[in-house]
Structure formats: structure tokens, C-alpha cells
Amino acid sequence: MVGQEYILIDKSVIAEGCAYDFSIFCANKSKSKVECIKRKGLIVQSDDIIVFDKRNDLYVSKSEHFAYKNFYKSHLYKNVRELNKRKNHSVERDNTPLTFTQKVEVMYQNASKALNELFNNPETLNNYNESKSIVNELVDSVLDSDFAIESLMCIATHDYYTHTHSINVAIYALSLGTFLGYSEEELRELGEAALLHDLGKSKISSAIINKDGPLTKDEFEIMQRHPVSGVSIGLQLGIKNKKILDGIKYHHEKIDGSGYPDGLYKNDIPMYAQIICLCDIFDALTSHRSYKKAMTSFEALKLMKVEMNKHIDVKLLNKMILMFR
Ligand SMILES: [Fe+2]
């Protein structure tokens, strides 16, 4: 009911003293019923904020999602401007056009928010559509200029969360795809597969996903199901492109046949899956986790070349190393 008619919103952006072009709803525990808790156009009072804080999720109706998205984008733009003003101690007017880097920052924040929603509600078509628009924005940016790729790679956050990891992997995969001379259509396919590669993890308990340290045999078996569950969710969302589905399904295969789910060898592993696999490993190594420090790009690439050469295609890795140079 909620997933079909109402869309989850980021409640941290709702502020006291403001009125919005959309009504705000909340749902009961089973999410079978919703009620309007703030009508469109009415000013949010301090009592409303107390009510909002007690609710886990706030929603807008599908018909007003566009109004919410417009508000959300302008909120992000404002935040980036404020951040920039503080960084540079500059007096910047609100109508000053955003620099390219600022736009990339907004795009990353937008993508991070959308991916978080997608992982919370993976079967929601609207969230999937949102992720497609992120891929389009990313592809448009990488096709724009080399500077875009550099900005995107610099902006990738190094604190590990499943949703930001997915964005980082998409950014690295698109960068490598561009470096390999992929067409625009191929980049859109690769970007989508990379962004959604871990979607199946949304079906695994957070206790396993966020576990500090090695998984038990049983936990690892559960974890190994995520590429196939990712494909099931993809099919439910209407993804028909086999190259995208294969990119999701085979991103944990290794060229010596020791990977999963099918133990494919070398060239039997589809190219998108091989690219996503490399970028997945690279981002995991260069991200900070509670139990390990982040490696530098150089350290990560060196480790991949020396210790993982039986698992990954060294020729492809060499291309990645050249790209980073
Ligand atoms: Fe994965």
C-alpha cells in the first residue's frame, strides 16, 4: 500500500517555520494505512517536529513527489552553497551559478539519498527509476569532460556504506568504461549494473552486512546469495537487459573458477561483471571500516596486482592502473 501510493522522504530536510508544496504523511506499523500529518502549504510548527521525530518514516503522495524532489534539490544546492561559503569565507549570492565541482557534490548527495531509499525499499519502481536517473546524470557527466571523471572520483566518500559503496563502484566502473572506449549505450548499461550490483544485500539482515570481522560459514552462505537475489529484484523491477542482469549476477566470479554463484572461468565471466568486480574490490580496499583503515589507491592497486592475480584479469587491472595514472 505505502510503497505503491506513497514515497519515503528524508525527514531531516523538514524544518520548523517552513511550509511545503507537498503534504506529509506517516504510516502505521504494518504500513497498510497512511495518514496525513501536515497538509501542503501549512507552516511546520515545533509540535510537528516532535511528532515527525517519533515516526520512523515520513512520506509524500506519488502525485506530489515531483514537488518534493524540486524542494529536495534546492535544499541540497543551498547546503552546498553554505558549505562553500564557510570553506572559502566568501560572500556568495544565492543566484551565483554553481561551479562544476559543486554540481558534482550535489549529484553525489542526491545519488546517496536515492540509493539509501532504494536499499530500504528495493522493489519500489519509483526508487529504481530514481536510480536510473542517477546513472543518466553520472554518464552525462563522464561524457562531458575528463574533468568530470576526476571530480567524480575525488568526491567518492571513503566511509563504507552499502549505498555509497554502490555509487562509488558506479563512478569507478564508468570511469574505466570511458577509458576502455565504451559507447554511451554501453556506459548506461554498465553504470546501471554497477549501481545495482549489491541490491540483493537489501534482503540480508543488517547484523550480517555490518558485522565487524569475518563471517561464519552459515553467514557467508547467506551472503553468497546476494548476486542471485539482486537479479530477482532486478527482474521484478522490469530489468530485461541480460548484460545488466549478468553484471549483477556475476560480480563475485573469479577467473580461476573459485567465485560464486556459478564458478565461471576467465572469459566466461561477462565483461561488465569483471569491471564491477575490480571496482568493487578497489572501493572496499580504499574505504574505511570500523575494523580496518582505508588503503591509498596505490596500496590497493598494488595489493590487487600482487595478491589477487589468480582471481582477476590482470590485463583489465593494468587498464585500471593506467587510468589512475
Ligand atoms: Fe557484492
Coordinates of all heavy atoms in Angstrom, one line a residue, residues 197-198 201 226 251-252 280, ligand 1:
H197 N 24.6 -3.5 -8.4 CA 25.3 -4.8 -8.2 C 25.0 -5.5 -6.9 O 24.9 -6.7 -6.8 CB 26.8 -4.7 -8.5 CG 27.6 -4.1 -7.4 ND1 27.6 -2.7 -7.2 CD2 28.4 -4.7 -6.4 CE1 28.4 -2.5 -6.1 NE2 28.9 -3.6 -5.7
D198 N 24.9 -4.7 -5.8 CA 24.7 -5.2 -4.5 C 23.3 -5.1 -4.0 O 23.0 -5.3 -2.8 CB 25.6 -4.6 -3.4 CG 27.0 -5.3 -3.3 OD1 27.1 -6.4 -3.8 OD2 27.9 -4.7 -2.7
K201 N 21.8 -7.4 -1.4 CA 22.2 -7.3 0.0 C 21.0 -6.7 0.8 O 21.0 -6.9 2.1 CB 23.4 -6.4 0.2 CG 24.7 -7.2 -0.2 CD 25.9 -6.4 0.2 CE 27.2 -7.1 -0.1 NZ 28.4 -6.3 0.1
H226 N 23.5 -13.0 -2.4 CA 23.1 -11.6 -2.8 C 23.1 -11.4 -4.4 O 22.3 -10.7 -4.9 CB 23.8 -10.5 -2.0 CG 25.1 -10.2 -2.4 ND1 26.3 -10.8 -2.0 CD2 25.6 -9.3 -3.3 CE1 27.3 -10.3 -2.5 NE2 27.0 -9.4 -3.3
H251 N 29.2 -10.6 -10.4 CA 30.2 -9.7 -10.0 C 31.1 -10.3 -8.9 O 32.1 -9.7 -8.5 CB 29.7 -8.3 -9.5 CG 28.9 -8.3 -8.2 ND1 27.6 -8.6 -8.1 CD2 29.4 -8.1 -7.0 CE1 27.3 -8.5 -6.8 NE2 28.3 -8.2 -6.1
H252 N 30.8 -11.5 -8.4 CA 31.7 -12.2 -7.5 C 32.4 -13.4 -8.1 O 32.9 -14.2 -7.3 CB 31.0 -12.5 -6.2 CG 30.8 -11.4 -5.3 ND1 31.8 -10.8 -4.6 CD2 29.7 -10.6 -4.9 CE1 31.4 -9.8 -3.9 NE2 30.1 -9.7 -4.1
D280 N 34.6 -3.0 -7.3 CA 34.1 -3.4 -6.0 C 35.2 -3.6 -5.0 O 35.2 -3.1 -3.9 CB 33.3 -4.7 -6.3 CG 32.5 -5.2 -5.0 OD1 32.4 -4.4 -4.1 OD2 32.1 -6.4 -5.0
Ligands
FE1 FE 28.6 -7.9 -3.9

